[in-house]
Amino acid sequence: FFCAAPSVYRLPHRHCRWALRHYHDTAETPRAHATHRHTDRHTATPPQRHCPINCRHGGGGGGGGGVDTAALQTSIPLHSLTDTAAHLAQHFEGKFDLFYQSLASVSLEVDFELVAFINDDCFTQGIKPEDFAIPETSARFMAYPLLKTVSLDVLEVRLRVVKHLNEQLKTAMPLIDLRQASVPGSLGHALCKCCALVWLQAKLDVWSRAMQSSTSGGGAGEISVNRLWATAQYDRKSGSDRVLLKTIFGQIFSRVNSRPPRELRIQAQDRAWRVQFVGEGSIDAGGPYRESLSDMVKELHMPHVHLLLPCANRKAEQEGFVDGMTGIHSMDKYVPNPSKTKPLHLQMYGFIGKLLGLGMRTNAALPFHLPSIVYKKILGHPVYPRDLKYIDKFLVDYLDGVAGAPDDATMTAELFSDIYGDRAFVTKSIDGREIELAP
């Protein structure tokens, strides 16, 4: 089922009967199934039920009423695909074609956004996703623009498909080897490609079991950190290796990174190390350890460290170019410094990854300001133009303008030359270096 899940969202018309089978009431008894089979095959006309598809929200054809989900559950018999197709063709009498057209036009991104809305709404209301129902109006979709482009009737049907998928995954997910996520054709790869369709709580359950089963260490022991030494580096802008190693991040990196990673695979309530702050007389009962984590992450966003740099959107805000930033909420994001490529720097980036993993294992809210494009590259997820827009809106708008110029009726050769003619085939990287573009 899951291998075929991506194709459910753009089914050919001949396969619509397969998708609609999943709307059937799964609580119906086998005897009821047999009744459907007997009735539909051996009677001249199908059972007369009222049509469940009457669009109350303007989608799917017909007038008045809405998708009668109760009728929809019982109107699709679970028998042969041929009989089901014939039954649908006669039962819906033309309305189904109109409804199918609007249903087939829904993109996978709409389903992703629907599941994101369900997860957020269930968290706010304290309910289970299985109990979620589509709102009566689209007013609650303010933060979900794609959902506003689809009628509520269609969203109700998409909700049933997603609910059925998650119901099947309850028993299937423990049997899927997620270590094969990077192996095309495997179930793990298929699941990770569509992970945005899975309820958040279902993913958290899998995550919790994985964390518990992989626990193997008791921490890296006691380490000493000189915070006064680290503070003295704040005024130094060089970002040299010597400055890096004197920061709190550099001191803990030097003492912990060389140890086996399994020592950091601790229980959620444990500490990865015990901290002794030099000259401060601290006793680590948990507070100094948490301070060391937050201080490290805060340091990584400071100018003298240079491992993370403010994104282009943040620089534009700092320089006063905020008029074009409407709707962009990630002007506080930082990205890795592309010029830090020495072995020491790469090891430090690896240690940042260990800190991210440590924060997830122990439920520690570490104040990283990384954009979605960084997390997606770590997880192996596809990156979209909107991810780039979150760190460099002006670049994406510029590229969109160039790409859309041929379709712009008002764009002339002279106007295009005036707007884009002075652009050279070079660009500046986030660290200020001039980079020649590939031909």
Side-chain angles (χ1 to χ4, degrees):
F1 174 81
F2 196 84
C3 287
S7 64
V8 173
Y9 304 93
R10 294 181 182 272
L11 286 176
H13 195 284
R14 66 182 181 276
H15 291 155
C16 63
R17 57 187 181 271
W18 182 88
L20 287 176
R21 290 180 64 202
H22 301 311
Y23 308 149
H24 195 283
D25 186 2
T26 56
E28 194 170 24
T29 63
R31 182 175 182 180
H33 295 169
T35 302
H36 283 317
R37 185 181 301 111
H38 175 78
T39 303
D40 289 350
R41 284 184 174 179
H42 300 289
T43 56
T45 58
Q48 295 300 315
R49 302 186 181 98
H50 67 283
C51 178
I53 300 177
N54 292 313
C55 298
R56 62 179 177 187
H57 304 295
V67 170
D68 188 339
T69 54
L72 190 61
Q73 291 175 14
T74 57
S75 64
I76 312 300
L78 286 178
H79 48 64
S80 75
L81 298 182
T82 303
D83 287 351
T84 301
H87 169 75
L88 289 175
Q90 186 172 0
H91 185 74
F92 291 111
E93 297 178 354
K95 287 186 178 181
F96 177 76
D97 286 337
L98 295 175
F99 184 76
Y100 172 78
Q101 291 174 9
S102 60
L103 183 64
S105 65
V106 177
S107 66
L108 193 58
E109 286 72 23
V110 172
D111 291 308
F112 288 164
E113 196 164 275
L114 174 61
V115 175
F117 172 72
I118 294 172
N119 286 329
D120 293 342
D121 197 63
C122 290
F123 178 80
T124 302
Q125 299 188 45
I127 62 175
K128 295 180 179 180
E130 294 81 1
D131 301 327
F132 174 85
I134 296 293
E136 291 294 327
T137 67
S138 60
R140 290 167 59 186
F141 298 152
M142 294 298 295
Y144 304 88
L146 292 180
L147 298 186
K148 301 172 98 175
T149 65
V150 183
S151 72
L152 297 183
D153 287 329
V154 172
L155 288 180
E156 288 186 23
V157 179
R158 304 311 301 166
L159 174 62
R160 293 196 63 83
V161 173
V162 173
K163 281 187 174 182
H164 184 79
L165 170 64
N166 280 271
E167 183 66 27
Q168 300 304 311
L169 283 176
K170 282 184 179 179
T171 53
M173 201 181 306
L175 307 176
I176 299 175
D177 187 358
L178 296 178
R179 293 172 297 182
Q180 295 185 343
S182 59
V183 181
S186 66
L187 280 176
H189 183 261
L191 176 60
C192 291
K193 283 183 64 177
C194 295
C195 63
L197 298 175
V198 184
W199 303 142
L200 176 61
Q201 188 56 52
K203 291 186 281 191
L204 290 177
D205 291 342
V206 174
W207 177 262
S208 298
R209 290 195 297 268
M211 292 299 98
Q212 293 174 3
S213 63
S214 61
T215 300
S216 60
E222 183 171 327
I223 60 176
S224 298
V225 175
N226 192 326
R227 291 201 289 189
L228 300 177
W229 197 14
T231 304
Q233 314 304 315
Y234 285 4
D235 296 331
R236 303 187 181 185
K237 308 297 183 182
S238 66
S240 65
D241 295 348
R242 184 176 180 181
V243 170
L244 280 175
L245 292 173
K246 289 183 178 180
T247 63
I248 297 177
F249 172 82
Q251 293 179 53
I252 297 180
F253 162 80
S254 300
R255 292 164 174 79
V256 176
N257 189 63
S258 59
R259 305 187 69 111
R262 64 175 180 274
E263 293 185 359
L264 300 181
R265 297 173 191 154
I266 57 176
Q267 295 281 359
Q269 68 276 8
D270 294 339
R271 286 172 280 168
W273 54 76
R274 296 187 301 277
V275 179
Q276 178 68 40
F277 289 128
V278 176
E280 300 184 37
S282 62
I283 299 177
D284 192 354
Y289 167 69
R290 290 189 293 271
E291 282 187 45
S292 69
L293 286 174
S294 61
D295 286 348
M296 273 196 298
V297 177
K298 289 177 182 177
E299 267 189 341
L300 288 171
H301 300 82
M302 292 182 178
H304 68 286
V305 176
H306 281 208
L307 286 176
L308 299 178
L309 298 177
C311 68
N313 288 345
R314 183 175 179 84
K315 289 185 176 180
E317 181 193 30
Q318 293 171 342
E319 295 171 3
F321 299 103
V322 295
D323 293 339
M325 306 303 287
T326 304
I328 299 297
H329 306 290
S330 54
M331 291 183 287
D332 60 338
K333 302 304 181 184
Y334 285 72
V335 295
N337 187 341
S339 63
K340 295 291 186 180
T341 57
K342 295 166 61 175
L344 174 64
H345 304 151
L346 298 180
Q347 291 179 28
M348 287 185 166
Y349 283 124
F351 188 63
I352 293 176
K354 292 179 181 180
L355 292 179
L356 289 170
L358 187 61
M360 290 186 287
R361 291 196 73 94
T362 60
N363 299 319
L366 301 181
F368 279 105
H369 295 285
L370 299 174
S372 61
I373 193 170
V374 172
Y375 291 114
K376 285 189 172 184
K377 296 301 288 185
I378 293 175
L379 297 172
H381 289 183
V383 175
Y384 300 102
R386 65 175 177 267
D387 296 306
L388 180 59
K389 194 171 187 177
Y390 289 150
I391 59 175
D392 197 341
K393 178 182 184 297
F394 293 113
L395 173 62
V396 175
D397 289 346
Y398 175 82
L399 295 176
D400 287 343
V402 174
D407 301 325
D408 187 352
T410 63
M411 182 65 67
T412 63
E414 294 77 11
L415 181 58
F416 184 87
S417 180
D418 291 340
I419 298 176
Y420 306 109
D422 61 339
R423 303 297 180 180
F425 288 91
V426 294
T427 188
K428 281 192 175 181
S429 64
I430 196 66
D431 58 346
R433 293 179 297 125
E434 192 173 84
I435 304 296
E436 184 175 356
L437 299 177

